[in-house]
Amino acid sequence: MASLEQPILISFKLCPFVQRAVITLLHKKIDYTIEYIDLQKKPDWFLDISPLGKVPLLRVKDRVLFESAVINEYLDETHGAPMLSQDPLDKAEQRAWIEFSSSLFNALHQLTQARREETYLKIEEDLTKKLAPLERKVGDKGYFEGESFSLVDSAFAPFLMRSQIVADNTGIDPVSDYKKISKWRDNMLSLPEVQKSVVEDFEELYMEGIYERGGYLADL
Ligand SMILES: N[C@@H](CCC(=O)N[C@@H](CS)C(=O)NCC(=O)O)C(=O)O
């Protein structure tokens, strides 16, 4: 039975921001309960407690946390070894890259939505350009930096997973130009906390969404 102290994560199966929190919960081996909602039909109780009407939410005791980066920092600060640097400048830089990772979710989503070839090619080019500074920054040991898993890894892993699924199903790999990002992705996707951070039929659900949107990518 779930303990009263156990955090409850309010989730949507395809949400990359929720996935970040799940990865951190699994990495830190924190017991939690997950509750899925349908974002097309947001329940009233959810709207009552979610200031932005978005997932993830983390219910902790009688409090509600929102924003995935904030949830992850709370989980990090309250459980186990720190996953962000203790040095203020290093930590600020890590937070900046976490913010950058959020923009990749949107860029990949746009790529899957573009209908006309011309629009698609422009978005693909922009995404490739956007990844260049990341390639320069990322380490070559399979982690964002150093040899251990940080909150930055946790934040990027949902993008890396989705890019691999797109590559496997369409032959279009948004990170193929970048060796270090590709190595980082291989390592991230081999980790249990990343593999178990989504529902079992995630790949089908994710690709179904792409095919339903009927964009240029879906026809390749
Ligand atoms: N900045 C937020 C973004 C969360 C977000 O955009 N969640 C999406 C699902 S992936 C959502 O709940 N959308 C519902 C809506 O906008 O109505 C975070 O990091 O938690």
Side-chain angles (χ1 to χ4, degrees), residues 15-17 20 39 42 53-56 67-69:
C15 177
F17 299 97
R20 289 173 163 177
L39 285 177
K42 296 176 187 168
K54 294 182 181 195
V55 290
E67 286 298 318
S68 58

Side-chain angles (χ1 to χ4, degrees), residues 18-31:
V18 168
Q19 192 184 351
R20 289 173 163 177
V22 177
I23 292 170
T24 305
L25 285 158
L26 293 174
H27 181 79
K28 296 245 172 192
K29 299 190 171 32
I30 303 169
D31 288 333

Side-chain angles (χ1 to χ4, degrees), residues 195-207:
Q195 289 174 355
K196 293 183 183 144
S197 62
V198 287
V199 289
E200 264 181 31
D201 55 349
F202 178 77
E203 179 161 350
E204 288 96 280
L205 288 176
Y206 181 66
M207 286 312 298

Side-chain angles (χ1 to χ4, degrees), residues 108 127 131 134-135 138-144 149 153 156-191 194-195:
L108 188 60
L127 176 55
L131 291 170
L134 181 63
E135 174 73 4
V138 79
D140 58 3
K141 301 213 163 59
Y143 294 96
F144 177 72
F149 191 85
D153 294 291
F156 275 96
F159 165 77
L160 296 171
M161 180 182 277
R162 283 160 181 72
S163 70
Q164 183 68 63
I165 294 175
V166 167
D168 292 345
N169 287 274
T170 67
I172 302 295
D173 185 354
V175 316
S176 62
D177 287 353
Y178 300 114
K179 283 207 173 69
K180 285 194 291 169
I181 299 178
S182 300
K183 181 173 178 185
W184 179 32
R185 178 173 68 182
D186 288 347
N187 188 44
M188 287 299 109
L189 299 188
S190 75
L191 301 175
V194 175
Q195 289 174 355

